[in-house]
Amino acid sequence: MKYNTKNYDYLIVGSGPYGSIFAYEAAKRGKRSLIIEKRAHIGGNMYTHKENGINVHDFGAHIFHTDNKEVWDYVNQFTEFNGYINQVVANYKGELYNLPFNMNTFYQMWGVKTPGEAAAKIAEQKVTAGISGAPKNLEEQAISLIGTDIYSKLIKGYTEKQWGRKATELPAFIIGRLPVRYTFDNNYFNHRYQGVPVDGYTAIFDKLLASDLIDVQVNTDFMANKETYLSEFPKTIYTGMIDAFFDYKYGELEYRSVRFESEVHESDNVQGNAVINYTDAETPYTRVMEWRHFDNHADDGKSIISKEFPQDWDRSKEAYYPVNDEKNSELFKKYRKESNNLKNVIFGGRLGNYQYYDMDQVFGAALKAVEKEFNE
Ligand code: UDP
């Protein structure tokens, strides 16, 4: 045995939430796991580090939000949340608007003051745009929900930068992530529970992986020795890219990537908000995060901001977003079918399932997998 040196019950590929929760729950039941992680750190894209007393989210803003009480209670075992509520501001060529789309936005855009006036304006723009029937793509979905003015100032530019393709070539469901409400409520999410961990996200993973029954090897690539790993371990939990697992035999699934440029400022408040979106087509970044505002820090006179630049994905970059359009969904089905035939491998997480999951959905899916695995 080259890799399974301790009679491990599980090999877990990837130390993000899916793999780490699985390892934690397995350890609770006396099962031993080896986690191998390609990157130099645990926690996947939830990884955060502390700098100047501020928790910086290395892989973009992560706000935990859920309606799932089981998941909320579960994650609260590992951290305290700070009560942060995400309220994003959009900057379109110097004009500021509240997001998500709500009465504040409608007032700022049109001067309308009542829900009735806002609804009438949107209905009128939808008719003028000639939209009727089921929306076929993101553009039609957006116009039918909030009209052409908001679409062209707050959605089109941002979306086309973010995804690197036309809004008419993107699936409608993506815009459904953002609430549209006829109240003066700037909460970016509709969920009952929301917050950011007081000690950052990495601390959650330190706790999940603390058991003596869990070993973690970072800088370790499963794909380099896949066959040996699979032959030595009774069961594998794989949370990497599903197409990579099968050596891209049906072709490459597409992903979208992002990169960040960070700056430390000698100021305790650079932009006055945790997230500001730049929704025009020309600004090369989509949003700017000021990390201290996620933590309510106001102590040391320094602030760190990160600009988020979308970029094409290739195998040398981190895969952030699956592109769940028709072509990729068809391709994914082929891989999923293949994966279902592998009884000793469980595929999970955003990359293993090729789904645009939020954190709470990954937590929920991991808990389901645990239930199934241990027949509870
Ligand atoms: N979106 C937009 N304008 C914005 C913010 C979001 O058009 O100012 C659209 C865009 O298409 C984006 C989608 O809404 O991909 C989902 O936004 P969300 O903030 O949920 O994206 P994430 O935080 O997952 O990147």
Side-chain angles (χ1 to χ4, degrees), residues 69-205:
K69 185 163 188 326
E70 188 196 345
V71 163
W72 182 246
D73 290 342
Y74 188 83
V75 67
N76 273 273
Q77 296 176 86
F78 306 101
T79 184
E80 190 186 327
F81 281 88
N82 64 7
Y84 173 82
I85 300 287
N86 200 28
Q87 302 191 53
V88 178
V89 169
N91 182 324
Y92 175 77
K93 301 187 179 190
E95 296 170 18
L96 299 185
Y97 297 94
N98 288 110
L99 290 175
F101 315 114
N102 71 81
M103 284 304 297
N104 290 306
T105 330
F106 305 145
Y107 173 69
Q108 290 147 354
M109 188 67 69
W110 301 310
V112 295
K113 296 187 180 76
T114 65
E117 287 165 15
K121 192 84 188 168
I122 290 168
E124 174 196 311
Q125 296 202 343
K126 188 178 161 183
V127 171
T128 311
I131 307 274
S132 60
K136 290 191 285 294
N137 55 51
L138 194 152
E139 176 171 298
E140 289 192 11
Q141 176 75 68
I143 294 174
S144 71
L145 283 171
I146 33 80
T148 40
D149 286 344
I150 291 181
Y151 171 69
S152 55
K153 287 191 170 182
L154 302 184
I155 295 178
K156 189 173 192 292
Y158 185 101
T159 295
E160 295 186 347
K161 286 192 292 193
Q162 162 70 12
W163 295 97
R165 58 185 72 195
K166 297 267 167 242
T168 47
E169 287 158 19
L170 284 163
F173 85 87
I174 293 176
I175 202 67
R177 291 173 57 85
L178 270 57
V180 176
R181 16 178 130 85
Y182 290 85
T183 55
F184 292 90
D185 175 0
N186 294 328
N187 187 345
Y188 201 71
F189 303 112
N190 272 334
H191 293 145
R192 172 184 288 232
Y193 309 105
Q194 186 175 166
V196 170
V198 288
D199 299 319
Y201 284 96
T202 305
I204 298 178
F205 291 89

